[in-house]
Protein backbone atom coordinates (compact mmCIF):
# COMPACT_ATOMS: atom_id res chain seq x y z
CA UNK A 1 0.00 0.00 0.00
CA UNK A 2 2.83 2.35 0.85
CA UNK A 3 4.33 1.76 -2.59
CA UNK A 4 1.09 2.98 -4.19
CA UNK A 5 1.12 6.11 -2.00
CA UNK A 6 4.70 6.84 -3.01
CA UNK A 7 3.86 6.44 -6.69
CA UNK A 8 0.90 8.85 -6.34
CA UNK A 9 3.14 11.40 -4.56
CA UNK A 10 5.78 11.18 -7.31
CA UNK A 11 3.13 11.67 -10.02
CA UNK A 12 1.65 14.63 -8.16
CA UNK A 13 5.05 16.29 -7.78
CA UNK A 14 5.82 15.78 -11.48
CA UNK A 15 2.45 17.34 -12.39
CA UNK A 16 3.34 20.42 -10.36
CA UNK A 17 6.40 21.02 -12.53
CA UNK A 18 4.86 20.01 -15.85
CA UNK A 19 5.67 22.80 -18.34
CA UNK A 20 2.86 24.38 -20.34
CA UNK A 21 4.15 25.48 -23.73
CA UNK A 22 2.80 26.49 -27.09
CA UNK A 23 2.44 23.85 -29.79
CA UNK A 24 5.62 23.05 -31.67
CA UNK A 25 4.95 22.10 -35.26
CA UNK A 26 6.89 19.57 -37.28
CA UNK A 27 9.10 20.74 -40.11
CA UNK A 28 7.14 21.24 -43.31
CA UNK A 29 8.35 19.67 -46.54
CA UNK A 30 8.03 21.26 -49.95
CA UNK A 31 9.10 18.09 -51.79
CA UNK A 32 11.23 20.19 -54.10
CA UNK A 33 14.49 19.19 -55.71
CA UNK A 34 16.68 20.42 -58.51
CA UNK A 35 14.43 18.73 -61.09
CA UNK A 36 11.61 21.16 -60.21
CA UNK A 37 8.82 18.62 -60.51
CA UNK A 38 5.46 20.32 -60.26
CA UNK A 39 1.81 19.28 -60.27
CA UNK A 40 -0.92 20.48 -62.64
CA UNK A 41 -4.18 20.82 -60.72
CA UNK A 42 -7.69 20.67 -62.21
CA UNK A 43 -11.10 21.17 -60.67
CA UNK A 44 -13.63 18.33 -60.37
CA UNK A 45 -14.96 19.11 -63.84
CA UNK A 46 -11.55 18.80 -65.44
CA UNK A 47 -10.99 22.54 -65.81
CA UNK A 48 -7.38 23.70 -65.43
CA UNK A 49 -6.77 25.61 -62.20
CA UNK A 50 -3.10 26.08 -61.34
CA UNK A 51 0.34 24.56 -61.02
CA UNK A 52 2.34 24.05 -57.87
CA UNK A 53 5.74 22.64 -56.98
CA UNK A 54 5.39 20.12 -54.17
CA UNK A 55 1.59 20.08 -53.77
CA UNK A 56 0.01 17.99 -51.01
CA UNK A 57 -3.49 16.68 -50.41
CA UNK A 58 -5.19 19.11 -48.03
CA UNK A 59 -3.50 22.21 -49.45
CA UNK A 60 -5.74 25.21 -50.07
CA UNK A 61 -5.68 27.63 -52.97
CA UNK A 62 -7.36 31.02 -53.37
CA UNK A 63 -7.44 32.50 -56.85
CA UNK A 64 -7.43 36.22 -57.60
CA UNK A 65 -11.25 36.17 -57.58
CA UNK A 66 -11.23 34.76 -54.01
CA UNK A 67 -12.51 31.29 -54.98
CA UNK A 68 -11.15 28.77 -52.49
CA UNK A 69 -10.20 25.21 -53.42
CA UNK A 70 -8.84 22.22 -51.52
CA UNK A 71 -6.50 19.69 -53.12
CA UNK A 72 -8.27 16.34 -52.67
CA UNK A 73 -6.36 14.02 -54.99
CA UNK A 74 -2.83 13.74 -56.43
CA UNK A 75 -1.36 11.40 -59.01
CA UNK A 76 2.33 11.10 -58.12
CA UNK A 77 3.12 9.32 -61.39
CA UNK A 78 1.62 11.81 -63.83
CA UNK A 79 2.00 14.74 -61.43
CA UNK A 80 -1.60 15.78 -61.78
CA UNK A 81 -4.23 16.52 -59.17
CA UNK A 82 -7.80 17.49 -58.41
CA UNK A 83 -8.95 20.40 -56.24
CA UNK A 84 -12.49 20.80 -54.94
CA UNK A 85 -14.19 24.18 -54.79
CA UNK A 86 -15.06 24.73 -51.14
CA UNK A 87 -16.34 28.30 -51.15
CA UNK A 88 -15.57 31.94 -51.70
CA UNK A 89 -13.38 33.83 -49.24
CA UNK A 90 -14.97 36.96 -47.81
CA UNK A 91 -13.28 39.75 -49.69
CA UNK A 92 -12.82 42.94 -47.68
CA UNK A 93 -14.60 45.94 -49.15
CA UNK A 94 -11.94 48.43 -50.18
CA UNK A 95 -12.10 52.12 -51.00
CA UNK A 96 -9.63 54.92 -51.58
CA UNK A 97 -9.87 58.10 -49.55
CA UNK A 98 -10.52 61.22 -51.60
CA UNK A 99 -7.40 62.76 -50.07
CA UNK A 100 -4.64 63.12 -52.64
CA UNK A 101 -1.91 61.82 -50.35
CA UNK A 102 -1.76 59.77 -47.15
CA UNK A 103 -1.66 62.09 -44.15
CA UNK A 104 -0.28 59.51 -41.75
CA UNK A 105 3.22 58.11 -42.01
CA UNK A 106 4.74 55.88 -39.30
CA UNK A 107 8.10 57.06 -38.06
CA UNK A 108 9.69 53.63 -38.03
CA UNK A 109 8.91 51.37 -40.98
CA UNK A 110 11.06 48.23 -40.93
CA UNK A 111 10.98 45.05 -43.00
CA UNK A 112 13.37 42.09 -43.03
CA UNK A 113 14.04 39.57 -45.80
CA UNK A 114 15.93 36.32 -46.23
CA UNK A 115 16.07 33.42 -48.67
CA UNK A 116 15.53 29.87 -47.41
CA UNK A 117 16.35 28.46 -50.85
CA UNK A 118 19.36 30.57 -51.78
CA UNK A 119 20.16 28.41 -54.80
CA UNK A 120 17.03 29.35 -56.77
CA UNK A 121 17.77 31.01 -60.09
CA UNK A 122 16.16 31.92 -63.40
CA UNK A 123 17.16 29.73 -66.33
CA UNK A 124 16.73 32.27 -69.13
CA UNK A 125 18.65 35.02 -67.32
CA UNK A 126 21.07 33.18 -65.05
CA UNK A 127 21.75 30.26 -67.37
CA UNK A 128 20.75 27.68 -64.74
CA UNK A 129 17.77 26.85 -62.53
CA UNK A 130 19.86 26.51 -59.38
CA UNK A 131 23.39 26.95 -58.11
CA UNK A 132 25.12 25.64 -55.02
CA UNK A 133 25.32 29.05 -53.38
CA UNK A 134 23.72 32.46 -53.91
CA UNK A 135 21.49 32.21 -56.97
CA UNK A 136 19.52 34.78 -58.92
CA UNK A 137 16.92 34.98 -56.16
CA UNK A 138 19.42 37.12 -54.22
CA UNK A 139 19.33 39.72 -57.01
CA UNK A 140 15.54 39.83 -56.75
CA UNK A 141 15.57 40.25 -52.96
CA UNK A 142 18.06 43.11 -53.10
CA UNK A 143 16.17 44.85 -55.90
CA UNK A 144 12.91 44.48 -53.99
CA UNK A 145 14.59 45.90 -50.88
CA UNK A 146 15.77 48.92 -52.86
CA UNK A 147 12.21 49.46 -54.11
CA UNK A 148 10.93 49.39 -50.53
CA UNK A 149 13.64 51.88 -49.50
CA UNK A 150 12.03 54.34 -51.88
CA UNK A 151 9.03 54.46 -49.55
CA UNK A 152 11.14 55.29 -46.52
CA UNK A 153 11.17 51.69 -45.30
CA UNK A 154 14.30 50.39 -43.64
CA UNK A 155 14.99 46.97 -45.12
CA UNK A 156 17.45 44.39 -43.84
CA UNK A 157 18.29 41.59 -46.29
CA UNK A 158 20.11 38.63 -44.77
CA UNK A 159 22.00 36.64 -47.40
CA UNK A 160 23.02 33.80 -45.11
CA UNK A 161 23.19 30.56 -47.10
CA UNK A 162 20.90 27.70 -46.06
CA UNK A 163 22.04 25.22 -48.69
CA UNK A 164 21.53 22.51 -49.71
CA UNK A 165 18.00 22.84 -51.06
CA UNK A 166 16.38 20.06 -49.02
CA UNK A 167 13.68 19.47 -46.41
CA UNK A 168 15.95 20.75 -43.65
CA UNK A 169 16.50 24.14 -45.29
CA UNK A 170 13.67 25.68 -43.26
CA UNK A 171 15.22 24.46 -40.03
CA UNK A 172 18.44 26.18 -41.01
CA UNK A 173 16.74 29.40 -42.13
CA UNK A 174 14.73 29.48 -38.91
CA UNK A 175 17.84 30.68 -37.09
CA UNK A 176 18.26 33.47 -39.63
CA UNK A 177 14.62 34.55 -39.26
CA UNK A 178 14.83 34.53 -35.46
CA UNK A 179 18.01 36.59 -35.54
CA UNK A 180 16.43 39.21 -37.82
CA UNK A 181 13.31 39.44 -35.67
CA UNK A 182 15.26 39.74 -32.43
CA UNK A 183 17.66 42.35 -33.77
CA UNK A 184 15.38 44.59 -35.83
CA UNK A 185 11.83 43.95 -34.54
CA UNK A 186 10.42 44.32 -38.07
CA UNK A 187 6.84 45.15 -39.00
CA UNK A 188 6.98 42.21 -41.42
CA UNK A 189 9.44 39.55 -42.57
CA UNK A 190 9.52 38.03 -46.06
CA UNK A 191 11.06 34.80 -47.29
CA UNK A 192 11.87 35.34 -50.98
CA UNK A 193 11.55 32.39 -53.40
CA UNK A 194 10.86 31.61 -57.01
CA UNK A 195 8.48 28.86 -58.14
CA UNK A 196 9.23 25.87 -60.37
CA UNK A 197 6.18 25.91 -62.65
CA UNK A 198 5.68 26.84 -66.30
CA UNK A 199 6.37 30.36 -67.56
CA UNK A 200 2.76 30.97 -68.61
CA UNK A 201 1.66 30.66 -64.97
CA UNK A 202 3.52 33.83 -64.03
CA UNK A 203 3.56 35.96 -67.17
CA UNK A 204 1.45 39.09 -66.69
CA UNK A 205 0.99 42.75 -67.55
CA UNK A 206 1.15 45.14 -64.60
CA UNK A 207 0.70 48.87 -64.98
CA UNK A 208 0.88 48.52 -68.74
CA UNK A 209 4.20 46.67 -68.74
CA UNK A 210 5.07 43.01 -69.13
CA UNK A 211 6.04 41.61 -65.75
CA UNK A 212 5.95 38.55 -63.55
CA UNK A 213 3.15 37.66 -61.17
CA UNK A 214 3.75 36.99 -57.48
CA UNK A 215 2.31 34.10 -55.49
CA UNK A 216 1.69 34.48 -51.75
CA UNK A 217 2.30 31.32 -49.70
CA UNK A 218 0.90 30.75 -46.22
CA UNK A 219 1.96 27.73 -44.16
CA UNK A 220 -0.96 25.78 -42.70
CA UNK A 221 1.14 24.30 -39.89
CA UNK A 222 2.06 27.49 -38.07
CA UNK A 223 0.63 29.06 -34.95
CA UNK A 224 0.11 32.43 -36.66
CA UNK A 225 -1.82 31.03 -39.61
CA UNK A 226 -5.01 33.06 -39.09
CA UNK A 227 -3.12 36.34 -38.84
CA UNK A 228 -0.77 35.41 -41.72
CA UNK A 229 -3.89 34.61 -43.73
CA UNK A 230 -5.44 38.00 -42.96
CA UNK A 231 -2.21 39.71 -44.01
CA UNK A 232 -2.13 37.72 -47.26
CA UNK A 233 -5.76 38.61 -48.07
CA UNK A 234 -5.11 42.28 -47.29
CA UNK A 235 -2.07 42.28 -49.58
CA UNK A 236 -3.98 40.70 -52.45
CA UNK A 237 -6.97 43.02 -51.95
CA UNK A 238 -4.80 46.15 -51.97
CA UNK A 239 -2.75 44.72 -54.84
CA UNK A 240 -5.85 44.15 -56.96
CA UNK A 241 -6.73 47.81 -56.35
CA UNK A 242 -3.39 49.56 -56.94
CA UNK A 243 -1.51 47.03 -59.13
CA UNK A 244 -3.98 44.74 -60.96
CA UNK A 245 -2.34 41.65 -62.41
CA UNK A 246 0.48 41.54 -59.85
CA UNK A 247 -0.75 38.77 -57.57
CA UNK A 248 -1.31 35.32 -58.96
CA UNK A 249 -3.02 33.75 -55.94
CA UNK A 250 -2.64 32.71 -52.30
CA UNK A 251 -1.46 29.15 -51.69
CA UNK A 252 -1.87 27.42 -48.33
CA UNK A 253 0.84 24.76 -48.19
CA UNK A 254 1.27 22.00 -45.63
CA UNK A 255 4.48 23.33 -44.05
CA UNK A 256 5.06 26.06 -41.49
CA UNK A 257 7.75 28.05 -43.36
CA UNK A 258 8.91 29.74 -40.14
CA UNK A 259 5.73 31.84 -40.15
CA UNK A 260 4.98 31.00 -36.53
CA UNK A 261 7.87 33.29 -35.63
CA UNK A 262 6.07 36.50 -36.65
CA UNK A 263 2.42 37.51 -37.25
CA UNK A 264 3.30 39.18 -40.56
CA UNK A 265 5.62 36.58 -42.04
CA UNK A 266 4.97 35.88 -45.71
CA UNK A 267 6.61 33.69 -48.35
CA UNK A 268 6.66 35.31 -51.79
CA UNK A 269 7.12 33.21 -54.94
CA UNK A 270 8.70 35.78 -57.27
CA UNK A 271 8.02 34.26 -60.65
CA UNK A 272 9.29 30.85 -61.69
CA UNK A 273 12.52 29.34 -63.00
CA UNK A 274 11.35 29.63 -66.62
CA UNK A 275 10.48 33.34 -66.60
CA UNK A 276 13.06 36.04 -67.27
CA UNK A 277 14.54 37.54 -64.12
CA UNK A 278 14.11 40.97 -65.71
CA UNK A 279 10.32 40.50 -65.65
CA UNK A 280 10.52 39.60 -61.97
CA UNK A 281 12.54 42.73 -61.25
CA UNK A 282 9.91 44.70 -63.17
CA UNK A 283 7.34 43.53 -60.59
CA UNK A 284 9.37 44.59 -57.57
CA UNK A 285 8.44 48.27 -57.72
CA UNK A 286 4.74 47.41 -57.81
CA UNK A 287 5.11 44.85 -55.02
CA UNK A 288 6.89 47.46 -52.89
CA UNK A 289 4.05 49.89 -53.59
CA UNK A 290 1.49 47.31 -52.51
CA UNK A 291 3.38 46.37 -49.32
CA UNK A 292 3.85 49.99 -48.29
CA UNK A 293 0.23 50.89 -49.08
CA UNK A 294 -1.23 47.81 -47.40
CA UNK A 295 0.85 47.96 -44.22
CA UNK A 296 1.10 51.65 -43.50
CA UNK A 297 -1.43 53.59 -45.60
CA UNK A 298 -4.50 51.37 -45.36
CA UNK A 299 -6.84 51.24 -42.37
CA UNK A 300 -9.09 48.42 -41.21
CA UNK A 301 -12.56 48.96 -39.78
CA UNK A 302 -12.51 46.45 -36.93
CA UNK A 303 -16.31 46.13 -36.97
CA UNK A 304 -16.89 45.58 -40.69
CA UNK A 305 -13.46 44.51 -41.91
CA UNK A 306 -13.55 47.19 -44.62
CA UNK A 307 -10.26 48.59 -45.91
CA UNK A 308 -9.62 52.23 -46.77
CA UNK A 309 -6.48 53.39 -48.55
CA UNK A 310 -5.02 56.77 -47.51
CA UNK A 311 -7.33 57.23 -44.53
CA UNK A 312 -6.43 58.55 -41.09
CA UNK A 313 -6.12 55.76 -38.51
CA UNK A 314 -8.16 55.85 -35.30
CA UNK A 315 -8.70 53.51 -32.37
CA UNK A 316 -11.46 51.72 -34.27
CA UNK A 317 -9.78 51.94 -37.67
CA UNK A 318 -6.06 51.22 -37.18
CA UNK A 319 -3.60 50.67 -40.00
CA UNK A 320 -3.25 47.09 -41.24
CA UNK A 321 0.14 46.96 -39.53
CA UNK A 322 -1.27 47.99 -36.15
CA UNK A 323 -4.46 45.94 -36.50
CA UNK A 324 -2.55 42.70 -37.09
CA UNK A 325 -0.19 43.48 -34.21
CA UNK A 326 -3.18 44.00 -31.91
CA UNK A 327 -4.76 40.72 -32.98
CA UNK A 328 -1.50 38.89 -32.39
CA UNK A 329 -1.17 40.40 -28.92
CA UNK A 330 -4.75 39.40 -28.07
CA UNK A 331 -4.10 35.87 -29.31
CA UNK A 332 -0.95 35.58 -27.22
CA UNK A 333 -2.78 36.90 -24.15
CA UNK A 334 -5.48 34.27 -24.63
CA UNK A 335 -2.83 31.56 -24.92
CA UNK A 336 -1.08 32.83 -21.78
CA UNK A 337 -4.37 32.93 -19.85
CA UNK A 338 -5.22 29.41 -20.97
CA UNK A 339 -1.78 28.16 -19.93
CA UNK A 340 -2.16 29.81 -16.53
CA UNK A 341 -5.55 28.17 -16.03
CA UNK A 342 -4.19 24.75 -17.01
CA UNK A 343 -1.25 25.20 -14.63
CA UNK A 344 -3.61 26.12 -11.77
CA UNK A 345 -5.72 23.04 -12.47
CA UNK A 346 -2.62 20.83 -12.46
CA UNK A 347 -1.51 22.34 -9.17
CA UNK A 348 -4.99 21.79 -7.77
CA UNK A 349 -4.99 18.14 -8.79
CA UNK A 350 -1.47 17.66 -7.44
CA UNK A 351 -2.24 19.26 -4.08
CA UNK A 352 -5.50 17.29 -3.76
CA UNK A 353 -3.64 14.06 -4.48
CA UNK A 354 -0.97 14.84 -1.89
CA UNK A 355 -3.57 15.73 0.75
CA UNK A 356 -5.46 12.52 0.03
CA UNK A 357 -2.28 10.47 0.43
CA UNK A 358 -1.36 12.27 3.67
CA UNK A 359 -4.85 11.72 5.15
CA UNK A 360 -4.85 8.04 4.19
CA UNK A 361 -1.37 7.62 5.61
CA UNK A 362 -2.36 9.22 8.93
CA UNK A 363 -5.43 7.00 9.21
CA UNK A 364 -3.36 3.88 8.56
CA UNK A 365 -0.77 4.93 11.14
CA UNK A 366 -3.55 5.31 13.71
Amino acid sequence: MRVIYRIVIVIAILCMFLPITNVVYAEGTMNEDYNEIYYVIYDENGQYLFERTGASVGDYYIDSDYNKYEVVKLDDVRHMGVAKHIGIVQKPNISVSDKANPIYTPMDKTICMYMTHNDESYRLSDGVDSVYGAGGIHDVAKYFANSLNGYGIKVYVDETLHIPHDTLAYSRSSSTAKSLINEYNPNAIFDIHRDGTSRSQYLSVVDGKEASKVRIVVGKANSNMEINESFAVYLMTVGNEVAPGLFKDIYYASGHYNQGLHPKAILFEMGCHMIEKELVLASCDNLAKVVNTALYNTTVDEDTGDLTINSTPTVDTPTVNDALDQRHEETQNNIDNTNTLIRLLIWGVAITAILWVVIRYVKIRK
Side-chain angles (χ1 to χ4, degrees):
M1 196 67 176
R2 291 184 178 180
V3 173
I4 295 176
Y5 292 153
R6 289 171 182 171
I7 292 174
V8 172
I9 291 174
V10 170
I11 293 174
I13 292 173
L14 289 175
C15 285
M16 293 171 67
F17 294 98
L18 184 67
I20 305 298
T21 60
N22 296 335
V23 177
V24 177
Y25 293 92
E27 177 72 20
T29 60
M30 293 188 72
N31 299 323
E32 294 179 345
D33 58 26
Y34 295 120
N35 294 321
E36 302 290 355
I37 296 173
Y38 62 88
Y39 292 82
V40 180
I41 309 297
Y42 299 85
D43 68 13
E44 294 177 298
N45 298 316
Q47 296 297 312
Y48 174 87
L49 286 177
F50 64 92
E51 298 172 12
R52 167 67 183 173
T53 306
S56 300
V57 171
D59 287 357
Y60 295 136
Y61 161 81
I62 298 177
D63 65 20
S64 57
D65 293 321
Y66 299 87
N67 291 296
K68 189 171 186 178
Y69 297 84
E70 180 181 1
V71 178
V72 295
K73 184 179 180 181
L74 289 175
D75 183 334
D76 291 329
V77 176
R78 295 187 297 168
H79 300 106
M80 298 168 61
V82 176
K84 178 181 178 181
H85 187 267
I86 58 176
I88 299 177
V89 174
Q90 181 65 42
K91 174 187 174 182
N93 293 320
I94 186 166
S95 59
V96 180
S97 172
D98 56 6
K99 299 181 184 301
N101 297 295
I103 61 175
Y104 169 78
T105 303
M107 295 298 294
D108 186 16
K109 301 193 291 187
T110 306
I111 289 175
C112 290
M113 283 191 275
Y114 65 103
M115 290 72 68
T116 292
H117 294 154
N118 309 86
D119 63 292
E120 293 179 331
S121 301
Y122 299 86
R123 182 184 298 178
L124 298 179
S125 302
D126 297 321
V128 292
D129 297 349
S130 303
V131 298
Y132 194 81
I137 197 67
H138 283 245
D139 298 331
V140 172
K142 289 184 285 189
Y143 192 97
F144 180 31
N146 187 62
S147 297
L148 288 167
N149 289 153
Y151 290 95
I153 301 173
K154 289 182 287 186
V155 185
Y156 299 94
V157 181
D158 192 310
E159 296 192 75
T160 298
L161 297 181
H162 309 111
I163 51 178
H165 186 143
D166 58 16
T167 55
L168 295 178
Y170 284 96
S171 293
R172 292 189 287 272
S173 67
S174 175
S175 297
T176 298
K178 289 176 183 176
S179 177
L180 286 168
I181 292 168
N182 291 334
E183 184 170 358
Y184 301 111
N185 188 29
N187 303 130
I189 182 167
F190 302 141
D191 190 1
I192 308 300
H193 290 248
R194 65 106 178 100
D195 209 344
T197 64
S198 62
R199 181 177 184 270
S200 61
Q201 278 280 288
Y202 279 92
L203 190 61
S204 183
V205 175
V206 183
D207 198 21
K209 299 178 181 178
E210 194 173 44
S212 171
K213 292 181 182 179
V214 176
R215 167 175 273 168
I216 303 172
V217 178
V218 174
K220 291 174 61 182
N222 86 82
S223 55
N224 286 322
M225 180 187 163
E226 290 186 5
I227 299 177
N228 293 152
E229 177 182 38
S230 294
F231 186 27
V233 171
Y234 290 156
L235 284 172
M236 189 163 75
T237 302
V238 172
N240 290 345
E241 180 71 28
V242 304
L246 176 65
F247 286 119
K248 181 182 184 309
D249 51 40
I250 301 173
Y251 196 88
Y252 297 72
S254 58
H256 62 75
Y257 310 113
N258 299 326
Q259 292 173 344
L261 300 176
H262 195 282
K264 285 164 288 179
I266 288 291
L267 189 158
F268 285 129
E269 297 276 19
M270 307 290 286
C272 64
H273 68 305
M274 291 302 296
I275 202 167
E276 298 88 338
K277 184 167 62 178
E278 291 74 19
L279 296 184
V280 178
L281 298 179
S283 297
C284 288
D285 288 341
N286 279 303
L287 182 57
K289 177 182 179 181
V290 170
V291 169
N292 180 70
T293 302
L295 269 178
Y296 308 116
N297 295 329
T298 298
T299 59
V300 183
D301 187 314
E302 293 288 50
D303 293 327
T304 65
D306 294 347
L307 302 178
T308 306
I309 296 174
N310 293 348
S311 66
T312 304
T314 66
V315 174
D316 296 324
T317 59
T319 62
V320 164
N321 181 59
D322 293 338
L324 295 179
D325 281 344
Q326 290 169 15
R327 291 180 204 175
H328 181 251
E329 184 177 354
E330 290 169 1
T331 300
Q332 290 302 116
N333 288 338
N334 290 336
I335 292 174
D336 291 341
N337 291 336
T338 300
N339 287 347
T340 299
L341 178 60
I342 293 174
R343 185 175 291 280
L344 289 174
L345 289 173
I346 291 175
W347 273 83
V349 171
I351 292 172
T352 300
I354 292 173
L355 289 175
W356 181 82
V357 170
V358 170
I359 292 172
R360 293 288 298 172
Y361 181 76
V362 170
K363 286 183 177 179
I364 292 174
R365 293 285 291 178
K366 289 182 177 179

